[in-house]
Amino acid sequence: KPVGFYFQKIMQKGSKNMDYRLQGYSTDEISLLEEFDTTYQNSKLIKSMKYTEKGFGAYTKLCSNDQVSSMLTLVEQKINEAIQAMIEGKFDINPKVIGKENVSCTYCPFQDICFHTEKDLVYLSKQEKNAFLKEGEGNA
């Protein structure tokens, strides 16, 4: 069973050991956490992971089993979509606009030579943080 979804920073000069703790979301199942990280109560392995007799700390990032399952399903779906698009040679220019801000072109190194038009823009509504986890619950 997955214990969580994490990333870890790469070592840099002058960094402390605590800078390399895993960052991401963990399961809310204590038995799995304990197997993965014996220091989970004040974790030396997972950033912001704290647990006391009152429960998990306010900054601990947790996922239920349903959310973990939904995340795995979503990730698999997105990987398959990307594979299919590559096989078909489909590399559309479709910058994303969230609210009124074009968030794609701002960071694109090809913005000076790009030929996108207004019809290429994809307008997205702003969503609350982690809304995709709630939407997918029960669908996995």
Side-chain angles (χ1 to χ4, degrees):
K1 274 186 145 182
V3 175
F5 305 97
Y6 308 103
F7 69 91
Q8 185 178 30
K9 292 185 178 179
I10 296 174
M11 295 177 71
Q12 296 176 340
K13 276 188 173 182
S15 295
K16 300 173 187 155
N17 283 343
M18 297 302 267
D19 293 341
Y20 301 117
R21 289 182 294 171
L22 301 174
Q23 297 179 34
Y25 289 84
S26 302
T27 181
D28 58 3
E29 274 192 52
I30 293 175
S31 60
L32 285 176
L33 275 176
E34 194 170 34
E35 227 175 290
F36 178 70
D37 179 7
T38 57
T39 66
Y40 77 95
Q41 292 171 323
N42 191 14
S43 184
K44 295 178 182 175
L45 180 62
I46 304 168
K47 187 175 182 175
S48 301
M49 173 64 69
K50 294 208 184 306
Y51 184 82
T52 66
E53 63 266 355
K54 295 179 183 177
F56 288 101
Y59 297 106
T60 303
K61 296 179 180 174
L62 299 172
C63 288
S64 68
N65 282 334
D66 285 345
Q67 289 173 323
V68 169
S69 188
S70 293
M71 180 72 82
L72 289 171
T73 301
L74 179 64
V75 167
E76 183 177 13
Q77 175 190 343
K78 294 298 179 185
I79 288 170
N80 288 332
E81 286 174 12
I83 290 169
Q84 193 60 41
M86 285 185 234
I87 289 169
E88 294 171 3
K90 186 177 179 187
F91 298 97
D92 296 337
I93 297 171
N94 59 358
K96 309 301 186 271
V97 178
I98 300 176
K100 294 182 180 180
E101 182 184 357
N102 183 331
V103 294
S104 299
C105 296
T106 306
Y107 304 104
C108 180
F110 304 107
Q111 62 183 316
D112 294 339
I113 58 172
C114 183
F115 297 103
H116 83 272
T117 63
E118 182 68 29
K119 69 178 174 75
D120 296 322
L121 297 175
V122 176
Y123 292 89
L124 303 172
S125 59
K126 197 167 192 162
Q127 295 186 352
E128 73 176 72
K129 189 176 182 181
N130 302 330
F132 65 94
L133 289 174
K134 293 175 187 155
E135 290 172 10
E137 285 182 9
N139 295 332

